[in-house]
Amino acid sequence: MSHAAGLAWLRQRRLQQLLWVLVAVFGLLIVMNLVFGRYRSAGLEMVIVLSLALAMHWNQRARTMHAVGLTVATLLLGLCVLMVNNQGLYDEAPMAFPALLLFAGLFGFRRMFWGLVCGMLAVVALLFFLHQAGVFHSAPVMPLDWRRPFVIGLIVLVTGLFAWLLTSDLMLAMRQLEAEKRALEASHARIEVLAQRDSLTGLPNRSLARERLGFLLQQARRSGGMVAVMFLDLDNFKTINDSLGHAAGDDLLCQVADKLRACVRETDTVARVSGDEFLILLGDLQDEEAIVAVVAKVTHLLGRAFAIGGVEVLATASLGIAVAPRDGEDADLLLKNADTAMYQSKDAGRNTFCFFDASMNESVTEHLHIASGLRSALASGELQLHYQPQFDLHNGRILGAEALLRWRHPELGWIPPGKFIPIAERSGLINELGSWVLRQACRDAQAWRSDGLGELRVAVNVSPLQFRRDDIEREVAQALLASGLPATALELELTESLLVADARNIGEVLQRLGAQGVQIAIDDFGTGYSNLGYLRRFSVHRLKIDQSFVRRMCANAHDEGLVRAIIEMAHCLDLQTVAEGVEDSQTLERLHAFGCEYAQGYHWSPALPGEAFVDYVRAHQPA
């Protein structure tokens, strides 16, 4: 029921109650007058009761205003007749005027109320002139017996009832208004919290943090002090969130928030500005040593393991720091520079911090230029695939090639993959690039077969971000179907970190791909976790020994031992090995002696464009 409907129902109910009271009162007066032979008064009161009964009928039919008007008119006329028939202004009937005014004020409208007031004043004036004219002198004065106090008592009771109902309804309305006021205040407070606070951690959000930063900057201008803005981003939060669940991720964020609060003063601010990004504002600083002290405290506390769902988790962070007034005196500029410095610390290897300097903006500009260029590079044909031959060390035959992405920018020239691939990963373009590489490599490999180059296979690097997408299996299937390449001729190269980060889901995907015949290789083996456990669980066919070890194996006994151990371990697990970075015959001989099956490197050829690779195979493939 709406508020307006509730009020209408209450008015109708109250009016019905009062009409019953009036009917009962006049009914009692009728009986009393009949007993004492006052038949004319009893008849008049009978007419009043019938009129009130009609008003009750109209009220039940929701014709409330008609019922109110009839009741007011009936009572006023009835009282006037009683006064004229009895003792005029000396009669007890005028005592009912206040009750009638309360009734009209409670249930009627303004025009009715003031009309009633005017009518009552007119009646009083008329009766006064009648008294002055001697109309009531001949009327005998009624003896003072129990009937007069009885009637006066009834009038007082009815008036008191009207007043009580009116005041109780007013008190009820006041209580409702007070409750609504408290609810509104609580709602405003909640809205303010939602507008300025993070709902998970209770920390200030970006909006409130920006306001506080503006206040700190004003203070710094007056005092000549410094203000530090620190952007903090958790390095491996997505891995934790994906592997342990969102509830565990929320628990980690709350624990990080508590630890960050413990690192700063009460006058400083810790805010959560996005999923796993926090902002620390330090004001009233005299030198940068105080900033470094806070950074040391933050890295120390975050360096300890967090207990998340019975599992101990390490959550390192990358920090970017901008200092006012050196790096700007505007809040937005400082936030932007701190964010830039934070990404610089991530590029520097994570779990570290960087102070902003102007050269970072040049790097950001270049980053944006490259990211923008990548979006059009696919459509404009600037991207190419080069292929580095892979050799079977037992017979010297070319068994396939690794597909390597190259980009020739129309203005910047050849951009190395190590420069644009990380930008593609951060900007989300890696999925589109990876899909294009997969489709193009499959088409080229099938073309080699059609050109009579034999059953060569092609190896394609897959980014961890690309592989975590739910549709990687569909993309592989579509690339194989569109090109006609057999699944056994395609090899996907994955990193160790991908397998460790999401072992359960990745394992299921690899099992399904392996069942179709797709080959799986672990790229750059030896530089990551080198965990034997996942090698046993996953459908892996080959290990690619990282080229940094292969290139140094003839000059460094430690690297040689490491390469040899990887090969022997792979053989124990029924895996094949591929050595990357073979650049001379001495390295080739040792790899052959250790039992390495396959290799690639500059000893044979660098990565070649598609047509040059075909010519190379025709020229160097044994008959």
Side-chain angles (χ1 to χ4, degrees):
M1 182 183 297
S2 66
H3 185 65
L7 288 176
W9 175 84
L10 180 61
R11 283 169 55 85
Q12 186 178 1
R13 181 169 175 268
R14 283 281 187 265
L15 179 59
Q16 200 73 4
Q17 292 171 344
L18 291 175
L19 289 173
W20 275 113
V21 170
L22 292 172
V23 168
V25 169
F26 280 100
L28 185 60
L29 291 175
I30 290 171
V31 172
M32 185 179 70
N33 287 324
L34 288 175
V35 170
F36 287 93
R38 300 175 63 181
Y39 299 112
R40 189 170 59 178
S41 296
L44 175 62
E45 290 159 352
M46 181 65 70
V47 173
I48 293 175
V49 168
L50 292 175
S51 180
L52 293 176
L54 178 60
M56 292 175 63
H57 174 71
W58 282 353
N59 186 52
Q60 289 177 337
R61 295 296 183 90
R63 298 172 62 185
T64 304
M65 294 311 300
H66 290 81
V68 171
L70 179 61
T71 302
V72 169
T74 299
L75 292 178
L76 179 61
L77 290 175
L79 291 173
C80 291
V81 171
L82 287 173
M83 293 165 61
V84 171
N85 287 338
N86 294 308
Q87 302 182 53
L89 291 178
Y90 292 101
D91 194 77
E92 65 269 19
M95 292 183 60
F97 280 5
L100 188 55
L101 288 174
L102 282 174
F103 180 86
L106 182 63
F107 294 102
F109 47 87
R110 183 167 27 178
R111 186 183 303 173
M112 177 188 293
F113 178 83
W114 289 110
L116 182 62
V117 170
C118 294
M120 288 179 175
L121 292 175
V123 168
V124 170
L126 176 62
L127 290 174
F128 174 76
F129 286 119
L130 291 176
H131 274 285
Q132 292 295 107
V135 175
F136 294 104
H137 286 319
S138 61
V141 177
M142 291 180 62
L144 186 62
D145 56 16
W146 66 269
R147 289 175 294 175
R148 180 175 289 272
F150 179 76
V151 172
I152 293 174
L154 285 179
I155 293 174
V156 171
L157 286 176
V158 172
T159 304
L161 177 62
F162 284 4
W164 178 79
L165 290 176
L166 176 61
T167 55
S168 63
D169 287 346
L170 287 175
M171 292 299 295
L172 176 61
M174 291 292 291
R175 287 194 296 270
Q176 290 177 341
L177 288 174
E178 185 65 25
E180 291 176 0
K181 177 185 175 183
R182 289 195 297 268
L184 186 61
E185 289 175 347
S187 177
H188 286 169
R190 180 60 178 165
I191 291 172
E192 183 177 357
V193 169
L194 293 175
Q196 297 190 328
R197 294 278 175 175
D198 173 50
S199 59
L200 176 64
T201 63
L203 294 175
N205 61 12
R206 181 185 291 270
S207 175
L208 181 55
R210 191 185 179 286
E211 289 182 13
R212 293 189 178 180
L213 176 56
F215 177 73
L216 291 175
L217 290 173
Q218 288 179 358
Q219 282 188 324
R221 293 187 193 103
R222 291 193 296 265
S223 64
M226 295 189 302
V227 175
V229 179
M230 301 169 57
F231 252 113
L232 182 148
D233 183 87
L234 299 180
D235 293 328
N236 56 342
F237 177 74
K238 188 177 188 307
T239 299
I240 295 170
N241 209 35
D242 291 344
S243 57
L244 299 181
H246 292 289
D250 290 346
D251 188 9
L252 174 61
L253 291 173
C254 291
Q255 291 192 42
V256 169
D258 292 338
K259 289 193 175 185
L260 293 179
R261 285 192 191 100
C263 296
V264 300
R265 303 163 297 180
E266 291 185 2
T267 56
D268 299 325
T269 296
V270 176
R272 182 182 176 216
V273 295
S274 67
D276 61 341
E277 282 190 345
F278 294 85
L279 185 65
I280 301 175
L281 305 177
L282 308 176
D284 193 23
L285 302 173
Q286 301 305 316
D287 52 49
E288 293 188 3
E289 291 183 5
I291 304 173
V292 175
V294 173
V295 171
K297 197 173 182 180
V298 168
T299 54
H300 175 69
L301 288 179
L302 294 185
R304 300 175 182 176
F306 292 85
I308 306 294
V311 179
E312 292 205 342
V313 173
L314 289 175
T316 60
S318 299
L319 287 88
I321 308 165
V323 181
R326 184 190 66 198
D327 300 324
E329 298 186 60
D330 177 73
D332 291 331
L333 178 60
L334 286 169
L335 291 171
K336 172 180 172 293
N337 290 342
D339 191 40
T340 300
M342 184 269 291
Y343 278 106
Q344 189 73 15
S345 65
K346 281 191 174 294
D347 291 340
R350 306 191 176 198
N351 192 24
T352 187
F353 68 93
C354 286
F355 280 89
F356 175 80
D357 65 66
S359 63
M360 291 180 182
N361 279 329
E362 298 176 4
S363 176
V364 170
T365 302
E366 183 183 26
H367 174 108
L368 294 175
H369 191 47
I370 290 176
S372 176
L374 273 175
R375 297 183 185 279
S376 60
L378 283 170
S380 60
E382 298 170 14
L383 296 177
Q384 302 176 20
L385 284 185
H386 288 196
Y387 297 94
Q388 186 171 41
Q390 293 179 336
F391 287 80
D392 186 332
L393 300 187
H394 296 299
N395 56 29
R397 295 185 61 84
I398 300 173
L399 59 95
E402 178 182 3
L404 299 169
L405 183 61
R406 298 290 184 263
W407 180 19
R408 185 165 188 169
H409 193 279
E411 299 174 6
L412 304 177
W414 289 104
I415 301 177
K419 196 168 189 177
F420 70 82
I421 291 297
I423 294 175
E425 290 179 337
R426 288 200 295 267
S427 61
L429 292 171
I430 192 64
N431 295 318
E432 187 177 355
L433 288 181
S435 297
W436 180 85
V437 169
L438 183 61
R439 294 192 302 268
Q440 187 63 44
C442 289
R443 283 195 295 266
D444 289 345
Q446 181 59 29
W448 302 338
R449 292 177 168 236
S450 301
D451 290 343
L453 297 184
E455 297 183 353
L456 300 179
R457 70 176 182 229
V458 64
V460 178
N461 291 279
V462 181
S463 166
L465 295 178
Q466 181 188 4
F467 203 90
R468 287 193 184 101
R469 295 178 66 189
D470 295 335
D471 56 355
I472 183 65
E473 294 177 78
R474 179 179 58 82
E475 288 186 354
V476 170
Q478 289 178 348
L480 293 174
L481 180 64
S483 62
L485 184 71
T488 53
L490 175 63
E491 180 177 273
L492 301 180
E493 295 188 3
L494 315 177
T495 61
E496 294 178 83
S497 59
L498 171 63
L499 301 182
V500 175
D502 195 5
R504 182 176 180 180
N505 294 331
I506 298 299
E508 295 174 355
V509 174
L510 293 183
Q511 289 289 348
R512 291 193 292 268
L513 290 173
Q516 299 173 25
V518 177
Q519 304 291 292
I520 304 296
I522 307 301
D523 195 18
D524 300 332
F525 189 82
T527 60
Y529 296 89
S530 302
N531 188 319
L532 300 182
Y534 72 74
L535 292 178
R536 290 197 307 270
R537 292 196 307 271
F538 296 147
S539 179
V540 175
H541 303 89
R542 296 177 190 86
L543 302 181
K544 298 195 71 175
I545 307 171
D546 188 69
Q547 57 184 329
S548 62
F549 305 133
V550 175
R551 288 172 177 169
R552 297 194 302 261
M553 62 181 292
C554 292
N556 188 306
H558 176 77
D559 289 324
E560 181 180 7
L562 184 58
V563 171
R564 186 170 187 171
I566 292 174
I567 295 172
E568 292 176 355
M569 178 194 68
H571 291 166
C572 291
L573 297 173
D574 294 327
L575 301 176
Q576 299 171 335
T577 55
V578 182
E580 298 180 288
V582 178
E583 297 184 352
D584 53 60
S585 58
Q586 184 181 5
T587 301
L588 177 59
E589 291 174 1
R590 293 196 184 185
L591 289 170
H592 192 275
F594 294 158
C596 181
E597 290 88 356
Y598 310 111
Q600 63 187 80
Y602 281 21
H603 175 68
W604 294 282
S605 171
L608 301 169
E611 294 182 2
F613 172 77
V614 170
D615 294 339
Y616 183 89
V617 173
R618 286 176 175 159
H620 295 84
Q621 189 75 294

